[in-house]
């Protein structure tokens, strides 16, 4: 339909004929000073979308906070919307965002771990003590598990960890300006090569060792994913190789499960054994790029990897070291991929699975640090060597992260299938003085809680499920008669509430509701059971599905806790 111009004028705004005011740009404006600072920080680094989190770290490290002006400048520099940058920055706990009109944060942040083992050993008292004594220029905040459960309570001053922390030792570190990570002694490149390192990789690259032969060794040893899921390693590598290329590889170094610190131990003592296993995996699946995702709570391990990767001879895949930013959910494999891509760590729906559609939409091999660490030993020493270890009908070795009420906590390399009683007595020097064994976590925060009377269960894959528990990453936390099992379950549920990504209602609302119910002096067991079932059935990923395991374990195995509450 055609209208003449006079008819069209009747639809114009009444003020259309008046002189318009000068238009002003819409949206957030970029501050020139902030833009210059961001440009200098980024230098000649690429402005790719997947590097957003790395660039946010640059700002955080330089200014100890991220202002709204810096967020806007970074968005402009990377040709992203402010919303994209803001939603990513605010998702991660280690980015301290200062909104417009708010005062700058204190230049030094002290983080005090409040997860289970640290809480048992005085973490809450340490937090309150530091908050009352810190003084000007210091901000004291609580933090989830930092992977130092064997030296609890732990506090982080800047990027330096203080073990067996007291208010005096932490503040002394702050006063000295001791805020950088301390590197422990470790096996460097030259020493590793002198001990036969990288010969296996060279044989594989030269064709002297066939891929099928190497995969058969992994199959014969029944090596499984040691990050918690336990998927057969050789089978996973074959699945990725069976997908059309190009292919990628991602390493999951984000062990954020409270009670777990084994990957940190291996990275800080013998990093090249892990790197060789990683390069072998990349060669087998023909991955041209490898992304190592390491949790931000491991600054020493990150510096070690940066130094040692630089010493590797040329050739092989391109290695990318990516830094987490304080999000437990990124230990879930699809969340990890999202984070590597520079986005919020929201779990993906499956299928498709990462071996089919993974990082940047390509088939991706994802392995845990410790899984790769064992590849060289298993192939060189043979599957029979690996299977010669084990107890109670199980085979292989397990790296148990043991913390809590034992005399000698730490990473304990022990036979797979060992019982918790054997682990305490033979590897940990017994219970701590004045403490009687009462309960234990066989698989970290999400693996459930069992009473000491059930101390004869082999600790391995497939042995704990019938009790409502699982081995997971083999994080063993020992509780004594001086600990509240209900209090432990509440501590763990608060952790899951804080760490839920919020994407799905069963996990986001379920953990919040569970905490509220568990804080009451008398638990509504029927309602908690119903809530737990809904979380297990309907949550997108393992966080929500397993968050209620400690809760349901306490209800099932510790009925005396409720008698006391009712009275």
């Amino acid at each position: 339909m055609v209208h003449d111009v006079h008819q069209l004028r009747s639809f114009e705004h009444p003020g259309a004929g008046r002189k318009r005011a000068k238009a002003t740009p819409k949206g957030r404006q970029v501050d020139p000073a902030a833009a210059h600072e961001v440009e200098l920080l980024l230098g000649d680094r690429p402005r790719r979308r997947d590097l957003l989190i790395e660039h946010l770290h640059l700002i955080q490290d330089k200014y100890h906070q991220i202002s709204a002006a810096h967020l806007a400048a970074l968005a402009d520099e990377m040709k992203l919307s402010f919303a994209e940058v803001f939603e990513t920055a605010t998702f991660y706990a280690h980015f301290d965002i200062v909104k417009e009109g708010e005062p700058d944060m204190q230049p030094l942040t002290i983080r005090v771990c409040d997860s289970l083992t640290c809480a048992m050993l005085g973490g809450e008292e340490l937090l309150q003590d530091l908050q009352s004594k810190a003084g000007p220029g210091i901000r004291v905040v609580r933090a989830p598990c930092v992977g130092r459960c064997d030296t609890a309570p732990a506090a982080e001053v800047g990027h330096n960890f203080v073990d067996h922390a007291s208010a005096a030792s932490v503040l002394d570190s702050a006063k000295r300006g001791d805020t950088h990570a301390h590197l422990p002694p470790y096996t460097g490149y030259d020493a590793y090569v002198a001990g036969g390192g990288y010969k296996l990789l060279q044989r594989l690259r030269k064709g002297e060792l066939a891929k099928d032969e190497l995969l058969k060794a992994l199959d014969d040893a029944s090596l499984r994913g040691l990050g918690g899921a336990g998927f057969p390693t050789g089978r996973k590598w074959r699945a990725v190789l069976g997908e059309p290329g190009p292919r990628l590889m991602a390493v999951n170094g984000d062990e954020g499960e409270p009670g777990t610190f084994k990957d940190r131990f291996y990275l800080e003592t013998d990093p090249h054994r892990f790197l060789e296993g990683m390069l072998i995996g990349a060669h087998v699946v023909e991955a041209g790029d490898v992304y190592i995702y390491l949790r931000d709570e491991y600054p020493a391990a990150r510096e070690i990897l940066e130094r040692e990767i630089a010493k590797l001879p040329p050739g092989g895949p391109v290695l990318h070291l990516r830094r987490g930013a304080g999000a437990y959910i990124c230990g879930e494999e699809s969340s990890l991929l999202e984070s590597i891509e520079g986005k919020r760590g929201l779990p993906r729906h499956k299928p498709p699975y990462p071996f089919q559609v993974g990082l940047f939409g390509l088939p991706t091999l994802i392995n845990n640090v410790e899984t790769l660490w064992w590849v060289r030993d298993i192939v060189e020493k043979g599957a029979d060597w690996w299977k010669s270890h084990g107890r109670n009908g199980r085979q292989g070795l397990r790296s148990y992260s043991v913390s809590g009420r034992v005399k000698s906590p730490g990473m304990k390399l022990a036979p797979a299938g060992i019982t918790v009683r054997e682990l305490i007595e033979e590897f940990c020097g017994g219970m701590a003085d004045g403490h009687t064994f009462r309960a234990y976590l066989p698989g970290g925060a999400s693996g459930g809680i069992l009473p000491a009377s059930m101390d004869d269960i082999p600790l391995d894959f497939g042995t704990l499920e019938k009790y409502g528990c699982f081995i997971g990453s083999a994080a063993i936390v020992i509780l004594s008669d001086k600990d509240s099992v209900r209090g432990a379950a509440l501590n763990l549920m608060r952790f899951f509430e804080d760490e839920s990504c919020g994407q799905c209602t069963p996990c986001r609302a379920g953990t919040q509701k569970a905490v509220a119910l568990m804080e009451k002096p008398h638990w509504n067991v029927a309602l908690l059971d119903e809530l737990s079932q809904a979380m297990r059935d309907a949550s997108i990923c393992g966080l929500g599905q397993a968050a209620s395991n400690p809760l349901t374990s306490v209800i099932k195995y510790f009925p005396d806790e409720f008698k006391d509450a009712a009275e």
Side-chain angles (χ1 to χ4, degrees), residues 226 262 265-266 370 373-374 385-392 394-402 408 410-429 457-461 471 473-474 476:
L226 298 172
K262 62 184 179 61
F265 173 83
Y266 286 122
E370 191 202 351
W373 197 90
W374 284 113
W385 164 80
W386 178 258
K387 293 162 69 174
S388 68
H389 301 281
R391 290 189 188 177
N392 302 307
R394 315 303 295 182
Q395 295 179 332
L397 293 165
R398 290 288 176 273
S399 304
Y400 297 99
S401 304
V402 186
S408 176
M411 203 292 290
K412 310 296 180 180
L413 184 60
I418 195 172
T419 67
V420 70
R421 179 68 69 176
E422 293 169 335
L423 193 61
I424 292 171
E425 298 300 329
E426 298 178 33
F427 290 83
C428 301
I457 304 171
L459 298 174
D460 197 14
F461 293 114
I471 187 69
S473 58
I476 316 296

Side-chain angles (χ1 to χ4, degrees), residues 215-349:
L215 289 168
K216 184 177 184 302
L218 300 182
D219 290 339
D220 290 346
S222 299
L223 178 65
R224 300 174 67 168
L226 298 172
F231 194 85
T233 303
R235 184 173 156 194
K236 178 183 282 191
W237 290 17
R238 284 191 180 89
V240 175
L241 187 58
E243 294 294 314
R247 307 177 195 90
L248 300 173
M249 182 176 182
V251 176
N252 190 341
D254 194 63
E255 60 169 0
E257 183 86 359
T260 308
F261 47 87
K262 62 184 179 61
D263 289 353
R264 175 178 63 83
F265 173 83
Y266 286 122
L267 290 173
E268 291 182 355
T269 56
D270 198 357
H272 283 281
R273 197 170 297 267
F274 149 68
L275 289 172
E276 183 170 12
M278 178 192 73
L279 292 170
I280 288 170
H283 181 87
V284 168
V285 302
E286 300 169 11
D289 290 81
V290 179
Y291 293 79
I292 307 170
Y293 188 91
L294 189 64
R295 67 185 309 217
D296 198 32
E297 291 86 349
Y298 288 176
R302 183 174 66 251
E303 186 171 341
I304 288 170
L305 285 177
E306 287 173 347
R307 290 184 180 189
E308 298 307 309
I309 287 174
K311 298 175 184 177
L312 294 175
V318 179
L319 304 185
H320 309 265
L321 186 56
R322 292 296 176 85
R323 181 177 169 187
Y328 165 75
I329 189 63
C330 291
E332 193 275 334
E333 61 177 7
S334 65
S335 301
L336 176 143
L337 298 180
E338 290 288 298
S339 191
I340 292 175
E341 292 179 3
K343 296 178 286 189
R344 295 177 294 166
L346 301 181
R348 299 175 180 176
H349 291 276

Side-chain angles (χ1 to χ4, degrees), residues 62 148 173 190 193 242 363 409 541 544 555:
K62 174 70 174 179
R148 307 187 81 84
S173 178
D190 291 337
V193 171
C541 80
I555 292 173

Side-chain angles (χ1 to χ4, degrees), residues 474-523:
I476 316 296
V477 183
I478 307 298
L479 282 67
S480 79
D481 56 327
K482 293 181 172 54
D483 299 309
S484 165
V485 180
R486 274 173 48 124
L490 177 56
N491 176 283
L492 298 172
M493 189 60 75
R494 284 172 174 157
F495 169 81
F496 290 125
E497 179 191 17
D498 288 342
E499 295 297 329
S500 172
C501 75
Q503 180 179 193
C504 69
T505 302
C507 178
R508 180 187 67 250
T511 52
Q512 183 181 33
K513 182 65 174 177
V515 167
L517 291 171
M518 294 168 73
E519 288 176 336
K520 296 181 181 297
H522 180 63
W523 284 6

Side-chain angles (χ1 to χ4, degrees), residues 166-205:
S166 65
S169 62
V170 172
L171 293 176
D172 183 58
S173 178
K175 184 178 179 180
R176 296 195 313 268
D178 192 7
T179 59
H180 297 286
H182 294 180
L183 301 192
Y186 66 90
T187 303
Y189 178 78
D190 291 337
Y192 182 74
V193 171
Y198 291 111
K199 287 185 178 179
L200 179 63
L201 176 63
Q202 291 172 6
R203 288 179 58 212
L204 189 65
R205 286 177 171 175

